[in-house]
Amino acid sequence: MSLDSPSSLSTLFVSLRTTSGFPHNGELLEIAVLHEDGRWLFESLVRPQWHTEWPDAAAKHGIKPADVQEAPTIDSLLPLIAPVLQGQRVVIFNAPVEACSPGLTRVLAGVAEIRCLMREFAPVYGEWNTRRGAYHWKGLATAAYHVGFNWPPGPRQARHECLATQAVWRYLLDTVQPAMAQSA
């Protein structure tokens, strides 16, 4: 497992909140993009175009219809987000699910590389799934706890998930990758 590639790509951490528990079934409500050096490159609430309520998702992440009533739509944000991600390495904790979000698929079209941190963290956590013959994938909360990340108080926002994803990524770069090099 090599997390760093020899190119000059910047690593960007992307997280989002949607109107459903599963991004491929919902519309974007919030998106955040964090640069590997800690700079926030993009952060915005997003007004959905079709959904008018999302009680289950609101209970989970705290974003209510009134919060996004005056927010821009994803269509108006695309020209702002796409250049930020263009040609970069994008790390998403659960990329197979989050990258399927209808709003995000258009944004990710120009990225150089998409990395799924959940998949890369699984062997580090080390829980083998005999039925699937692979390591069991763990959620971001478990991975963040494992690496010592302290969640900010209050409802979890996309910005918090970017910070947690960055912490897990750095842990893998700083701890796991050097240990693998020493054992080789």
Side-chain angles (χ1 to χ4, degrees):
M1 166 178 64
S2 174
L3 298 175
D4 222 4
S5 60
S7 67
S8 61
L9 297 178
S10 290
T11 300
L12 308 180
F13 305 96
V14 175
S15 185
L16 53 94
R17 300 263 146 248
T18 68
T19 57
S20 83
F22 300 97
H24 60 280
N25 291 337
E27 292 182 85
L28 289 178
L29 292 173
E30 181 183 27
I31 185 167
V33 180
L34 176 66
H35 191 276
E36 63 191 331
D37 67 9
R39 289 179 292 132
W40 289 102
L41 300 180
F42 191 85
E43 188 174 12
S44 180
L45 289 173
V46 182
R47 185 179 71 236
Q49 295 173 316
W50 299 285
H51 289 82
T52 57
E53 55 185 35
W54 43 90
D56 293 340
K60 181 178 176 182
H61 54 54
I63 301 173
K64 297 175 180 62
D67 299 329
V68 297
Q69 186 174 349
E70 301 298 320
T73 64
I74 189 60
D75 289 334
S76 65
L77 292 174
L78 279 173
L80 303 173
I81 303 169
V84 170
L85 301 178
Q86 184 77 29
Q88 303 304 317
R89 174 188 307 113
V90 171
V91 177
I92 303 173
F93 192 77
N94 189 359
V97 172
E98 291 202 10
C100 293
S101 169
L104 195 56
T105 53
R106 294 182 287 160
V107 173
L108 294 175
V111 304
E113 181 181 5
I114 299 173
R115 302 290 288 267
C116 177
L117 192 54
M118 182 184 282
R119 182 178 292 150
E120 296 186 31
F121 176 76
V124 173
Y125 195 80
E127 185 178 298
W128 187 254
N129 183 331
T130 53
R131 194 178 94 240
R132 293 183 182 224
Y135 288 103
H136 185 73
W137 291 11
K138 295 294 183 181
L140 181 56
T142 300
Y145 177 79
H146 185 83
V147 305
F149 178 78
N150 293 315
W151 292 97
R156 199 187 308 174
Q157 300 171 345
R159 114 182 323 258
H160 302 146
E161 292 202 350
C162 282
L163 291 167
T165 300
Q166 180 188 41
V168 175
W169 180 262
R170 284 184 174 162
Y171 175 87
L172 294 180
L173 285 176
D174 296 344
T175 307
V176 176
Q177 195 162 295
M180 290 174 59
Q182 287 178 349
S183 66

